[in-house]
Amino acid sequence: MSEHTTTIPDTMTAVEITQPGGPEVLQPTTRPVPKPQPHEVLIRVVAAGVNGPDIMQRKGQYAPPPGASDIPGLEVSGIVAAVGADVKSFKVGDHVAALIPGGGYAEYCVAHETNALPLPPGLSLIEAAALPETFMTVWLNMFERGQFKAGDIILIHGGASGIGTTATMLAKAFGAAKIITTVGSEAHHEASLKLGADTAVLYKEADFVEVTKEVTDGHGADIILDIVAGDYVARNYDAAAMNGRIVQIGVIGGAAKELNLFPMLSKRLTHIGSTLRSRSPEEKAALIKALTENVWPLLEKGSVKPQVCKTFPFEKAGEAHQMMDDSKHIGKVVLIMDEEAHR
């Protein structure tokens, strides 16, 4: 560890997954405080965002990449407590947000210095904890992979989720011709419209394929962001416009079954997918650079802002996961480790 440190304990409290299962398998534990490698910073965690991959990992469906901590948590905000010997970008005491491959549900975590970033002006540490994973996932999938451009019609599934609210705000900010979302309740419907959606489809009451065709005069969606999969895959093909792009971000609805690929051929569709967690620090650094250049000005102006639905103390991580399982959240659920530091 570098000489540039504050007083750091040998052990810390973390939340571990005791076995695959429901929210009750998240339990507090004691772990050694990680030591930063030459290009890493040690962060005293103030808050951590809760994300879909955390839920999948808890269920035993998404193992951490090789070398990553088994503790869940892919995005944090906090205060730099120590820096590795070769770190040039940060110093002890800096307030940062960071994207990490695991280990966020803990009092301390390490991050590669290129995957940590200073807080955008005007954002609190709580809001900053809801930023890295979600905004980078949307930028990667919607803009880089999906090639979103001004004038596109976009269909966003899970419109009230962290991904959905972020995608809606960015689609509006970057000139979407029409934004269509799918939502699960009247509260989600209202929230999605407020964030900028032109149409929010209550998927339990209406067919999003029919509504998409209706509100686009038969054109369909130029780009579709899907966290669901399952039977949505075939329906996305039906809802897509000619030459449409479908970006698979999640698979919470399970595998696609009995999928007819002919519409993909006849419409010349592109269906792609990706994950962020397993990408290298260098790839993530490039994404952070793109976000800093393109999205930070919007954050600074306040035209785009992380949507924090509710916060939970770390020891109630199970309750936070239950809220995610129940799909009752609008925006992001955030865990707070250090109640005093964010005030």
Side-chain angles (χ1 to χ4, degrees):
M1 191 177 291
S2 163
E3 63 191 25
H4 307 294
T5 65
T6 58
T7 302
I8 298 165
D10 294 327
T11 62
M12 65 179 183
T13 300
V15 174
E16 68 179 358
I17 301 169
T18 55
Q19 64 185 45
E24 71 281 356
V25 305
L26 295 171
Q27 295 293 331
T29 186
T30 300
R31 295 286 185 93
V33 172
K35 291 180 167 45
Q37 297 300 306
H39 286 284
E40 291 181 332
V41 294
L42 177 69
I43 299 170
R44 178 163 64 88
V45 177
V46 171
V50 179
N51 292 284
D54 303 345
I55 308 301
M56 292 178 64
Q57 181 178 337
R58 189 201 77 217
K59 295 177 179 179
Q61 299 170 353
Y62 191 12
S69 171
D70 65 302
I71 296 169
L74 305 180
E75 61 183 349
V76 299
S77 65
I79 302 164
V80 175
V83 297
D86 296 332
V87 169
K88 301 289 193 295
S89 305
F90 298 99
K91 65 183 185 303
V92 171
D94 284 346
H95 287 210
V96 297
L99 183 72
I100 54 177
Y105 292 14
E107 289 184 291
Y108 290 88
C109 72
V110 290
H112 196 281
E113 68 169 320
T114 62
N115 295 173
L117 49 150
L119 266 58
L123 280 195
S124 69
L125 280 164
I126 301 301
E127 291 168 328
L131 182 74
E133 168 74 13
T134 306
F135 274 74
M136 288 175 68
T137 295
V138 171
W139 187 265
L140 168 66
N141 288 286
M142 180 172 155
F143 291 87
E144 296 192 1
R145 302 281 287 167
Q147 295 294 297
F148 173 86
K149 62 186 182 301
D152 276 345
I153 295 170
I154 185 168
L155 169 61
I156 303 165
H157 291 303
S161 67
I163 294 291
T165 54
T166 301
T168 299
M169 289 185 290
L170 291 182
K172 185 173 182 65
F174 285 90
K178 191 176 291 288
I179 302 168
I180 306 160
T181 63
T182 59
V183 295
S185 70
E186 287 291 348
H188 290 177
H189 178 270
E190 182 179 339
S192 189
L193 294 177
K194 189 174 180 180
L195 282 175
D198 298 289
T199 301
V201 183
L202 283 160
Y203 63 82
K204 297 174 184 176
E205 300 177 10
D207 180 359
F208 72 79
V209 176
E210 293 180 4
V211 175
T212 297
K213 290 179 177 180
E214 179 183 344
V215 300
T216 63
D217 297 324
H219 177 83
D222 299 303
I223 177 171
I224 300 173
L225 297 184
D226 183 23
I227 62 173
V228 181
D231 68 353
Y232 273 38
V233 176
R235 295 166 70 192
N236 286 337
Y237 291 175
D238 198 4
M242 187 68 68
N243 297 306
R245 292 96 65 204
I246 301 159
V247 189
Q248 204 70 48
I249 301 178
V251 290
I252 60 175
K257 299 175 182 177
E258 300 180 7
L259 179 61
N260 178 11
L261 294 179
F262 184 74
M264 175 190 275
L265 306 180
S266 62
K267 286 186 173 182
R268 302 189 292 271
L269 303 178
T270 301
H271 188 175
I272 56 178
S274 71
T275 59
L276 178 61
R277 185 178 192 178
S278 60
R279 288 175 178 260
S280 69
E282 292 76 18
E283 290 175 303
K284 292 174 182 176
L287 280 170
I288 287 175
K289 184 174 185 293
L291 270 179
T292 303
E293 292 173 354
N294 295 285
V295 178
W296 258 230
L298 302 175
L299 290 166
E300 291 175 14
K301 288 192 301 183
S303 56
V304 169
K305 194 170 188 179
Q307 301 296 301
V308 176
C309 172
K310 189 170 182 179
T311 63
F312 291 85
F314 265 63
E315 61 268 22
K316 295 186 178 180
E319 293 183 21
H321 273 230
Q322 188 64 61
M323 187 176 194
M324 294 279 286
D325 284 355
D326 294 341
S327 296
K328 291 181 178 179
H329 58 295
I330 299 171
K332 290 298 290 286
V333 176
V334 174
L335 297 176
I336 298 178
M337 175 58 82
D338 192 332
E339 188 69 35
E340 294 301 319
H342 79 84
R343 294 187 185 281

